[in-house]
Amino acid sequence: MSQQRAEGAPRSTATQRLMAPGDALRRWWDRLSRVQKWGFGVVAFGLLALLPLFPPPLLNTPNVSFGGTLAQFGMIAIIAIGLNVVVGQAGLLDLGYVGFYAVGAYTVALLTSPNSPWNKMGPTGWFNEDWAWLACVPLAMSITAITGLIIGTPTLRLRGDYLAIVTLGFGEIIRLLADNLADITNGPRGLNEVAFPHIGQSERLPEGVFSSGNSAGNANYGTWWFWVGIILIIVILLFVGNLERSRVGRAWIAVREDEDAAEVMGVNTFKFKMWAFVIGAAIGGLSGALYAGQVQFVAPPTFNIINSMLFLCAVVLGGQGNKLGVVVGAFVIVYLPNRLLGVEFLGINLGDLKYLFFGLALVMLMIFRPQGLFPARAQLLAYGKAAREYLRSPAGESAK
Protein backbone atom coordinates (compact mmCIF):
# COMPACT_ATOMS: atom_id res chain seq x y z
CA MET A 1 0.00 0.00 0.00
CA SER A 2 2.78 2.42 0.95
CA GLN A 3 4.63 1.59 -2.27
CA GLN A 4 1.50 2.36 -4.29
CA ARG A 5 1.09 5.68 -2.52
CA ALA A 6 4.75 6.50 -3.09
CA GLU A 7 4.40 5.72 -6.76
CA GLY A 8 1.21 7.75 -6.96
CA ALA A 9 2.66 10.81 -5.23
CA PRO A 10 4.55 12.20 -8.25
CA ARG A 11 1.48 11.78 -10.43
CA SER A 12 -0.61 13.67 -7.88
CA THR A 13 1.95 16.48 -7.74
CA ALA A 14 2.08 16.70 -11.54
CA THR A 15 -1.71 16.81 -11.63
CA GLN A 16 -1.75 19.69 -9.16
CA ARG A 17 0.80 21.56 -11.25
CA LEU A 18 -1.38 21.18 -14.33
CA MET A 19 -4.51 22.11 -12.41
CA ALA A 20 -6.19 25.25 -13.72
CA PRO A 21 -6.75 28.25 -11.42
CA GLY A 22 -10.49 27.59 -11.54
CA ASP A 23 -9.94 24.07 -10.16
CA ALA A 24 -7.71 25.32 -7.35
CA LEU A 25 -10.27 27.96 -6.37
CA ARG A 26 -13.08 25.42 -6.51
CA ARG A 27 -11.21 22.93 -4.31
CA TRP A 28 -10.39 25.64 -1.79
CA TRP A 29 -14.05 26.65 -1.75
CA ASP A 30 -15.21 23.05 -1.28
CA ARG A 31 -13.01 22.65 1.79
CA LEU A 32 -14.74 25.53 3.56
CA SER A 33 -17.61 25.01 5.97
CA ARG A 34 -21.04 26.40 5.21
CA VAL A 35 -20.57 29.25 7.72
CA GLN A 36 -17.23 30.18 6.13
CA LYS A 37 -18.80 30.17 2.68
CA TRP A 38 -21.52 32.52 3.88
CA GLY A 39 -18.90 34.82 5.40
CA PHE A 40 -16.80 34.97 2.24
CA GLY A 41 -19.95 35.40 0.15
CA VAL A 42 -21.13 38.40 2.18
CA VAL A 43 -17.70 40.04 1.95
CA ALA A 44 -17.40 39.32 -1.79
CA PHE A 45 -20.82 40.75 -2.66
CA GLY A 46 -20.19 43.74 -0.40
CA LEU A 47 -16.96 44.54 -2.22
CA LEU A 48 -18.71 43.98 -5.54
CA ALA A 49 -21.41 46.48 -4.58
CA LEU A 50 -18.73 49.08 -3.77
CA LEU A 51 -16.94 48.51 -7.07
CA PRO A 52 -18.72 51.25 -9.09
CA LEU A 53 -18.08 53.84 -6.35
CA PHE A 54 -14.35 53.09 -6.22
CA PRO A 55 -13.47 51.66 -9.65
CA PRO A 56 -9.94 50.18 -9.76
CA PRO A 57 -7.82 51.74 -12.50
CA LEU A 58 -7.14 48.37 -14.13
CA LEU A 59 -10.84 47.43 -14.22
CA ASN A 60 -12.29 50.81 -15.11
CA THR A 61 -13.80 51.29 -18.59
CA PRO A 62 -12.44 54.64 -19.81
CA ASN A 63 -14.65 55.00 -22.88
CA VAL A 64 -17.98 54.00 -21.33
CA SER A 65 -19.64 54.42 -17.95
CA PHE A 66 -18.34 51.83 -15.50
CA GLY A 67 -21.61 51.93 -13.58
CA GLY A 68 -23.55 51.30 -16.78
CA THR A 69 -21.25 48.37 -17.60
CA LEU A 70 -21.88 46.82 -14.19
CA ALA A 71 -25.63 47.38 -14.55
CA GLN A 72 -25.51 45.46 -17.82
CA PHE A 73 -23.50 42.75 -16.08
CA GLY A 74 -26.24 42.43 -13.43
CA MET A 75 -28.86 41.80 -16.10
CA ILE A 76 -26.75 39.29 -18.04
CA ALA A 77 -25.78 37.50 -14.81
CA ILE A 78 -29.47 36.95 -13.98
CA ILE A 79 -30.02 35.61 -17.49
CA ALA A 80 -27.01 33.30 -17.15
CA ILE A 81 -28.28 31.90 -13.85
CA GLY A 82 -31.71 31.24 -15.36
CA LEU A 83 -30.24 29.65 -18.48
CA ASN A 84 -27.94 27.56 -16.31
CA VAL A 85 -31.01 26.02 -14.67
CA VAL A 86 -32.21 24.89 -18.10
CA VAL A 87 -28.89 24.00 -19.76
CA GLY A 88 -26.51 23.31 -16.88
CA GLN A 89 -28.82 21.66 -14.35
CA ALA A 90 -31.42 19.87 -16.48
CA GLY A 91 -29.28 19.42 -19.61
CA LEU A 92 -31.82 21.00 -22.00
CA LEU A 93 -30.12 22.76 -24.92
CA ASP A 94 -32.13 25.98 -25.21
CA LEU A 95 -30.94 28.25 -28.04
CA GLY A 96 -33.92 30.61 -27.90
CA TYR A 97 -33.69 31.82 -24.31
CA VAL A 98 -33.65 35.41 -25.57
CA GLY A 99 -37.38 34.93 -26.28
CA PHE A 100 -38.16 34.83 -22.55
CA TYR A 101 -35.97 37.89 -22.07
CA ALA A 102 -38.06 39.65 -24.72
CA VAL A 103 -41.39 38.59 -23.20
CA GLY A 104 -40.40 40.05 -19.83
CA ALA A 105 -39.20 43.32 -21.35
CA TYR A 106 -42.25 43.75 -23.57
CA THR A 107 -44.62 42.99 -20.69
CA VAL A 108 -43.30 45.99 -18.79
CA ALA A 109 -43.15 48.16 -21.92
CA LEU A 110 -46.68 47.34 -23.11
CA LEU A 111 -48.15 48.13 -19.70
CA THR A 112 -46.28 51.38 -19.05
CA SER A 113 -45.14 52.98 -22.34
CA PRO A 114 -47.30 55.84 -23.72
CA ASN A 115 -46.74 54.38 -27.22
CA SER A 116 -48.54 51.18 -26.27
CA PRO A 117 -52.29 50.66 -26.77
CA TRP A 118 -52.25 48.60 -23.56
CA ASN A 119 -50.74 51.38 -21.47
CA LYS A 120 -52.10 51.23 -17.90
CA MET A 121 -50.42 54.35 -16.55
CA GLY A 122 -52.06 57.58 -15.52
CA PRO A 123 -55.13 58.48 -13.46
CA THR A 124 -57.42 56.01 -15.24
CA GLY A 125 -54.92 53.15 -15.43
CA TRP A 126 -53.96 50.40 -13.03
CA PHE A 127 -50.56 51.76 -12.06
CA ASN A 128 -49.21 54.86 -10.44
CA GLU A 129 -46.09 56.24 -12.08
CA ASP A 130 -43.98 55.95 -8.92
CA TRP A 131 -44.45 52.20 -8.40
CA ALA A 132 -45.55 51.01 -11.87
CA TRP A 133 -42.25 49.27 -12.66
CA LEU A 134 -42.18 47.43 -9.35
CA ALA A 135 -45.76 46.22 -9.88
CA CYS A 136 -44.93 45.03 -13.41
CA VAL A 137 -41.97 42.87 -12.30
CA PRO A 138 -44.07 40.01 -10.82
CA LEU A 139 -46.44 40.31 -13.79
CA ALA A 140 -43.52 39.96 -16.21
CA MET A 141 -42.23 36.90 -14.37
CA SER A 142 -45.70 35.30 -14.27
CA ILE A 143 -46.44 35.91 -17.94
CA THR A 144 -43.00 34.64 -18.94
CA ALA A 145 -43.44 31.53 -16.80
CA ILE A 146 -46.82 30.88 -18.46
CA THR A 147 -45.16 31.36 -21.85
CA GLY A 148 -42.52 28.82 -20.85
CA LEU A 149 -45.27 26.39 -19.84
CA ILE A 150 -47.08 26.82 -23.15
CA ILE A 151 -43.89 26.46 -25.21
CA GLY A 152 -42.47 23.66 -23.10
CA THR A 153 -45.52 21.40 -23.19
CA PRO A 154 -45.00 20.29 -26.80
CA THR A 155 -41.26 20.96 -27.18
CA LEU A 156 -39.89 19.20 -24.10
CA ARG A 157 -40.95 15.87 -25.56
CA LEU A 158 -38.04 16.38 -27.97
CA ARG A 159 -34.38 15.85 -27.16
CA GLY A 160 -30.94 17.04 -28.22
CA ASP A 161 -30.64 18.81 -31.57
CA TYR A 162 -34.39 18.74 -32.18
CA LEU A 163 -35.07 20.61 -28.94
CA ALA A 164 -32.34 23.12 -29.79
CA ILE A 165 -33.86 23.82 -33.22
CA VAL A 166 -37.37 24.27 -31.82
CA THR A 167 -36.23 26.66 -29.07
CA LEU A 168 -34.18 28.57 -31.61
CA GLY A 169 -37.33 28.99 -33.68
CA PHE A 170 -39.25 30.17 -30.62
CA GLY A 171 -36.74 32.95 -29.99
CA GLU A 172 -36.98 34.14 -33.58
CA ILE A 173 -40.79 33.97 -33.55
CA ILE A 174 -40.94 36.29 -30.54
CA ARG A 175 -38.63 38.80 -32.23
CA LEU A 176 -40.54 38.69 -35.51
CA LEU A 177 -43.87 39.13 -33.73
CA ALA A 178 -42.52 42.20 -31.95
CA ASP A 179 -41.22 43.53 -35.26
CA ASN A 180 -44.43 42.98 -37.25
CA LEU A 181 -47.24 43.69 -34.77
CA ALA A 182 -46.85 47.43 -35.30
CA ASP A 183 -50.30 48.27 -33.92
CA ILE A 184 -49.34 46.79 -30.55
CA THR A 185 -45.55 46.86 -30.20
CA ASN A 186 -44.92 49.92 -32.40
CA GLY A 187 -42.89 47.69 -34.72
CA PRO A 188 -39.18 48.38 -35.26
CA ARG A 189 -39.56 51.86 -33.75
CA GLY A 190 -40.01 50.26 -30.35
CA LEU A 191 -41.67 51.46 -27.16
CA ASN A 192 -40.07 54.33 -25.27
CA GLU A 193 -40.64 56.11 -21.94
CA VAL A 194 -40.99 52.79 -20.14
CA ALA A 195 -41.65 53.12 -16.41
CA PHE A 196 -38.82 52.97 -13.87
CA PRO A 197 -38.68 53.40 -10.05
CA HIS A 198 -39.10 57.02 -8.95
CA ILE A 199 -36.96 56.95 -5.81
CA GLY A 200 -34.69 59.65 -4.40
CA GLN A 201 -36.39 62.55 -6.15
CA SER A 202 -34.90 65.99 -5.51
CA GLU A 203 -34.49 69.33 -7.20
CA ARG A 204 -31.33 68.11 -8.89
CA LEU A 205 -32.94 64.77 -9.84
CA PRO A 206 -36.66 65.40 -10.31
CA GLU A 207 -37.23 61.84 -11.62
CA GLY A 208 -35.09 60.08 -9.03
CA VAL A 209 -31.80 58.22 -8.93
CA PHE A 210 -32.92 55.48 -11.34
CA SER A 211 -33.59 57.95 -14.15
CA SER A 212 -31.18 58.10 -17.07
CA GLY A 213 -30.82 61.78 -16.20
CA ASN A 214 -28.79 60.79 -13.14
CA SER A 215 -25.29 60.99 -14.58
CA ALA A 216 -23.57 62.57 -11.59
CA GLY A 217 -20.26 60.92 -10.74
CA ASN A 218 -19.82 57.26 -9.95
CA ALA A 219 -23.21 56.96 -8.21
CA ASN A 220 -25.09 57.44 -11.49
CA TYR A 221 -28.22 55.63 -12.57
CA GLY A 222 -26.20 52.64 -13.78
CA THR A 223 -24.79 52.18 -10.28
CA TRP A 224 -28.26 52.15 -8.74
CA TRP A 225 -29.50 49.61 -11.27
CA PHE A 226 -26.39 47.52 -10.56
CA TRP A 227 -27.26 47.48 -6.86
CA VAL A 228 -30.78 46.28 -7.69
CA GLY A 229 -29.23 43.59 -9.89
CA ILE A 230 -26.90 42.49 -7.05
CA ILE A 231 -29.85 42.08 -4.67
CA LEU A 232 -31.78 40.06 -7.24
CA ILE A 233 -28.72 37.89 -8.00
CA ILE A 234 -28.33 37.03 -4.31
CA VAL A 235 -32.02 36.14 -3.97
CA ILE A 236 -31.95 33.98 -7.14
CA LEU A 237 -28.73 32.23 -6.09
CA LEU A 238 -30.27 31.32 -2.73
CA PHE A 239 -33.40 30.05 -4.46
CA VAL A 240 -31.52 28.02 -7.06
CA GLY A 241 -29.09 26.71 -4.46
CA ASN A 242 -31.94 25.36 -2.34
CA LEU A 243 -33.43 23.74 -5.43
CA GLU A 244 -30.10 22.04 -6.20
CA ARG A 245 -30.06 20.40 -2.77
CA SER A 246 -33.68 19.30 -3.00
CA ARG A 247 -35.37 16.38 -4.72
CA VAL A 248 -35.93 18.61 -7.74
CA GLY A 249 -32.21 19.30 -8.13
CA ARG A 250 -31.32 15.63 -7.85
CA ALA A 251 -33.92 14.83 -10.50
CA TRP A 252 -32.45 17.47 -12.80
CA ILE A 253 -28.98 15.95 -12.48
CA ALA A 254 -30.38 12.49 -13.19
CA VAL A 255 -32.13 13.77 -16.33
CA ARG A 256 -28.98 15.58 -17.45
CA GLU A 257 -26.73 12.56 -17.03
CA ASP A 258 -29.03 9.94 -18.59
CA GLU A 259 -32.69 10.62 -19.21
CA ASP A 260 -33.53 7.02 -20.08
CA ALA A 261 -31.92 5.69 -16.91
CA ALA A 262 -33.71 8.33 -14.83
CA GLU A 263 -37.02 7.32 -16.39
CA VAL A 264 -36.36 3.66 -15.58
CA MET A 265 -35.54 4.57 -11.97
CA GLY A 266 -38.96 6.21 -11.57
CA VAL A 267 -38.16 9.87 -12.21
CA ASN A 268 -40.95 11.72 -14.02
CA THR A 269 -38.54 13.29 -16.47
CA PHE A 270 -41.08 15.39 -18.34
CA LYS A 271 -42.38 16.98 -15.14
CA PHE A 272 -38.93 17.91 -13.88
CA LYS A 273 -37.83 19.19 -17.29
CA MET A 274 -40.94 21.36 -17.28
CA TRP A 275 -40.00 22.65 -13.82
CA ALA A 276 -36.58 23.68 -15.12
CA PHE A 277 -38.02 25.29 -18.24
CA VAL A 278 -40.64 27.31 -16.35
CA ILE A 279 -38.25 28.43 -13.60
CA GLY A 280 -35.64 29.42 -16.16
CA ALA A 281 -38.28 31.32 -18.14
CA ALA A 282 -39.41 33.25 -15.06
CA ILE A 283 -35.83 34.27 -14.25
CA GLY A 284 -35.34 35.37 -17.87
CA GLY A 285 -38.53 37.44 -17.65
CA LEU A 286 -37.19 39.11 -14.49
CA SER A 287 -34.03 40.13 -16.34
CA GLY A 288 -36.13 41.46 -19.22
CA ALA A 289 -38.13 43.61 -16.80
CA LEU A 290 -34.86 44.90 -15.36
CA TYR A 291 -33.64 45.77 -18.86
CA ALA A 292 -36.86 47.60 -19.76
CA GLY A 293 -36.74 49.74 -16.64
CA GLN A 294 -33.07 50.58 -16.99
CA VAL A 295 -32.97 51.42 -20.70
CA GLN A 296 -36.58 52.76 -20.77
CA PHE A 297 -36.79 51.69 -24.40
CA VAL A 298 -37.65 48.28 -25.87
CA ALA A 299 -37.19 47.40 -29.56
CA PRO A 300 -36.98 44.09 -31.49
CA PRO A 301 -33.29 44.27 -32.59
CA THR A 302 -32.19 43.81 -28.98
CA PHE A 303 -33.60 40.28 -28.91
CA ASN A 304 -31.81 38.76 -31.88
CA ILE A 305 -30.24 35.33 -32.12
CA ILE A 306 -26.74 36.71 -31.57
CA ASN A 307 -27.62 37.83 -28.05
CA SER A 308 -29.10 34.42 -27.34
CA MET A 309 -25.78 32.86 -28.34
CA LEU A 310 -23.93 35.28 -26.05
CA PHE A 311 -26.13 34.21 -23.13
CA LEU A 312 -25.27 30.59 -23.84
CA CYS A 313 -21.61 31.56 -24.21
CA ALA A 314 -21.65 32.98 -20.65
CA VAL A 315 -22.93 29.65 -19.31
CA VAL A 316 -20.44 27.53 -21.28
CA LEU A 317 -17.54 29.84 -20.48
CA GLY A 318 -18.25 29.98 -16.76
CA GLY A 319 -19.03 26.28 -16.38
CA GLN A 320 -22.35 24.55 -16.99
CA GLY A 321 -24.05 23.59 -13.76
CA ASN A 322 -21.98 25.97 -11.60
CA LYS A 323 -24.23 28.87 -10.63
CA LEU A 324 -21.35 31.05 -9.43
CA GLY A 325 -19.24 30.13 -12.45
CA VAL A 326 -21.87 31.39 -14.90
CA VAL A 327 -21.89 34.73 -13.05
CA VAL A 328 -18.15 34.99 -13.79
CA GLY A 329 -18.89 34.05 -17.40
CA ALA A 330 -21.49 36.82 -17.61
CA PHE A 331 -18.95 39.32 -16.29
CA VAL A 332 -16.44 38.31 -18.98
CA ILE A 333 -19.09 38.56 -21.71
CA VAL A 334 -20.10 42.08 -20.64
CA TYR A 335 -16.84 43.55 -19.41
CA LEU A 336 -14.39 42.70 -22.20
CA PRO A 337 -16.26 44.43 -25.08
CA ASN A 338 -16.76 47.55 -22.95
CA ARG A 339 -13.14 47.54 -21.82
CA LEU A 340 -11.86 47.21 -25.39
CA LEU A 341 -14.29 49.82 -26.74
CA GLY A 342 -12.28 52.61 -28.33
CA VAL A 343 -9.00 50.66 -28.15
CA GLU A 344 -7.53 50.56 -31.65
CA PHE A 345 -4.99 48.12 -33.06
CA LEU A 346 -3.80 48.56 -36.65
CA GLY A 347 -6.67 50.98 -37.17
CA ILE A 348 -9.29 48.44 -35.98
CA ASN A 349 -11.55 49.11 -33.00
CA LEU A 350 -11.10 46.00 -30.86
CA GLY A 351 -14.49 46.57 -29.25
CA ASP A 352 -16.15 45.77 -32.59
CA LEU A 353 -14.50 42.34 -32.72
CA LYS A 354 -16.19 40.91 -29.63
CA TYR A 355 -17.92 38.12 -31.55
CA LEU A 356 -14.59 37.08 -33.06
CA PHE A 357 -12.94 37.00 -29.63
CA PHE A 358 -15.77 35.03 -28.05
CA GLY A 359 -15.80 32.58 -30.94
CA LEU A 360 -12.07 31.95 -30.64
CA ALA A 361 -12.38 31.67 -26.86
CA LEU A 362 -15.10 29.04 -27.19
CA VAL A 363 -13.07 27.04 -29.70
CA MET A 364 -10.05 27.04 -27.39
CA LEU A 365 -12.27 26.23 -24.42
CA MET A 366 -13.85 23.25 -26.14
CA ILE A 367 -10.41 21.90 -27.04
CA PHE A 368 -8.54 22.39 -23.78
CA ARG A 369 -11.23 22.78 -21.10
CA PRO A 370 -14.70 21.71 -22.27
CA GLN A 371 -16.12 21.81 -18.73
CA GLY A 372 -15.63 25.61 -18.51
CA LEU A 373 -13.53 27.85 -16.28
CA PHE A 374 -15.30 26.76 -13.09
CA PRO A 375 -16.77 23.32 -13.73
CA ALA A 376 -19.51 21.99 -11.50
CA ARG A 377 -18.25 19.43 -9.03
CA ALA A 378 -20.09 16.12 -8.93
CA GLN A 379 -21.00 15.62 -5.29
CA LEU A 380 -23.44 13.81 -3.07
CA LEU A 381 -26.50 16.02 -2.75
CA ALA A 382 -28.22 13.71 -0.31
CA TYR A 383 -26.28 12.81 2.86
CA GLY A 384 -23.29 14.62 1.38
CA LYS A 385 -22.16 16.17 4.67
CA ALA A 386 -22.37 12.85 6.51
CA ALA A 387 -20.37 11.12 3.76
CA ARG A 388 -17.61 13.75 3.82
CA GLU A 389 -17.33 13.56 7.62
CA TYR A 390 -17.08 9.78 7.41
CA LEU A 391 -14.33 9.89 4.79
CA ARG A 392 -12.34 12.35 6.95
CA SER A 393 -12.69 10.14 10.04
CA PRO A 394 -10.15 7.41 10.97
CA ALA A 395 -12.66 4.73 9.94
CA GLY A 396 -13.00 6.34 6.53
CA GLU A 397 -9.22 6.61 6.11
CA SER A 398 -8.78 2.93 6.90
CA ALA A 399 -11.53 2.06 4.41
CA LYS A 400 -9.56 3.84 1.68
Side-chain angles (χ1 to χ4, degrees), residues 201-263:
Q201 294 174 324
S202 61
E203 293 184 0
R204 186 175 64 87
L205 299 172
E207 294 186 333
V209 294
F210 288 96
S211 169
S212 58
N214 178 19
S215 58
N218 293 330
N220 54 29
Y221 81 105
T223 301
W224 285 88
W225 280 108
F226 170 63
W227 288 339
V228 172
I230 284 291
I231 295 173
L232 293 176
I233 288 172
I234 294 173
V235 172
I236 295 171
L237 286 176
L238 292 174
F239 172 70
V240 173
N242 287 329
L243 280 177
E244 285 181 354
R245 293 183 293 272
S246 68
R247 180 171 176 262
V248 175
R250 295 194 294 271
W252 285 343
I253 293 176
V255 171
R256 181 189 67 195
E257 297 301 325
D258 194 325
E259 186 173 344
D260 293 328
E263 190 80 40

Side-chain angles (χ1 to χ4, degrees), residues 102-387:
V103 171
Y106 267 100
T107 299
V108 177
L110 288 172
L111 292 176
T112 61
S113 172
N115 302 119
S116 168
W118 297 349
N119 178 26
K120 300 301 178 182
M121 296 276 285
T124 60
W126 298 345
F127 306 121
N128 181 276
E129 185 178 1
D130 294 338
W131 48 264
W133 180 83
L134 186 61
C136 287
V137 168
L139 286 175
M141 295 180 65
S142 301
I143 293 175
T144 311
I146 294 172
T147 304
L149 181 64
I150 295 172
I151 299 298
T153 300
T155 60
L156 290 182
R157 303 184 188 278
L158 304 173
R159 298 187 190 181
D161 299 339
Y162 302 101
L163 177 62
I165 292 172
V166 170
T167 54
L168 178 65
F170 159 70
E172 279 297 285
I173 287 171
I174 295 296
R175 184 187 65 82
L176 291 173
L177 284 175
D179 200 18
N180 290 283
L181 296 178
D183 294 337
I184 300 175
T185 64
N186 207 25
R189 292 173 295 179
L191 300 171
N192 58 9
E193 298 183 32
V194 179
F196 59 91
H198 289 262
I199 299 175
Q201 294 174 324
S202 61
E203 293 184 0
R204 186 175 64 87
L205 299 172
E207 294 186 333
V209 294
F210 288 96
S211 169
S212 58
N214 178 19
S215 58
N218 293 330
N220 54 29
Y221 81 105
T223 301
W224 285 88
W225 280 108
F226 170 63
W227 288 339
V228 172
I230 284 291
I231 295 173
L232 293 176
I233 288 172
I234 294 173
V235 172
I236 295 171
L237 286 176
L238 292 174
F239 172 70
V240 173
N242 287 329
L243 280 177
E244 285 181 354
R245 293 183 293 272
S246 68
R247 180 171 176 262
V248 175
R250 295 194 294 271
W252 285 343
I253 293 176
V255 171
R256 181 189 67 195
E257 297 301 325
D258 194 325
E259 186 173 344
D260 293 328
E263 190 80 40
V264 170
M265 294 301 294
V267 177
N268 189 338
T269 57
F270 179 78
K271 182 181 76 171
F272 286 107
K273 287 194 298 183
M274 183 64 73
W275 269 105
F277 208 69
V278 171
I279 291 172
I283 296 175
L286 171 62
S287 183
L290 196 65
Y291 166 79
Q294 179 188 339
V295 181
Q296 300 161 33
F297 175 74
V298 177
T302 306
F303 312 104
N304 54 34
I305 189 61
I306 297 297
N307 284 333
S308 191
M309 295 300 104
L310 284 179
F311 301 157
L312 187 60
C313 180
V315 175
V316 174
L317 185 65
Q320 298 182 50
N322 188 337
K323 56 185 181 297
L324 291 176
V326 300
V327 173
V328 177
F331 181 80
V332 174
I333 291 297
V334 174
Y335 173 75
L336 284 183
N338 287 282
R339 183 65 180 84
L340 296 175
L341 192 65
V343 178
E344 293 192 0
F345 178 73
L346 300 178
I348 301 174
N349 188 351
L350 296 181
D352 296 334
L353 301 179
K354 60 179 180 179
Y355 300 121
L356 174 63
F357 294 148
F358 291 146
L360 292 175
L362 284 178
V363 171
M364 299 299 292
L365 199 69
M366 291 300 100
I367 295 174
F368 297 105
R369 194 171 174 80
Q371 67 271 35
L373 296 177
F374 299 93
R377 182 173 69 98
Q379 59 180 335
L380 288 174
L381 297 178
Y383 310 108
K385 182 178 179 182

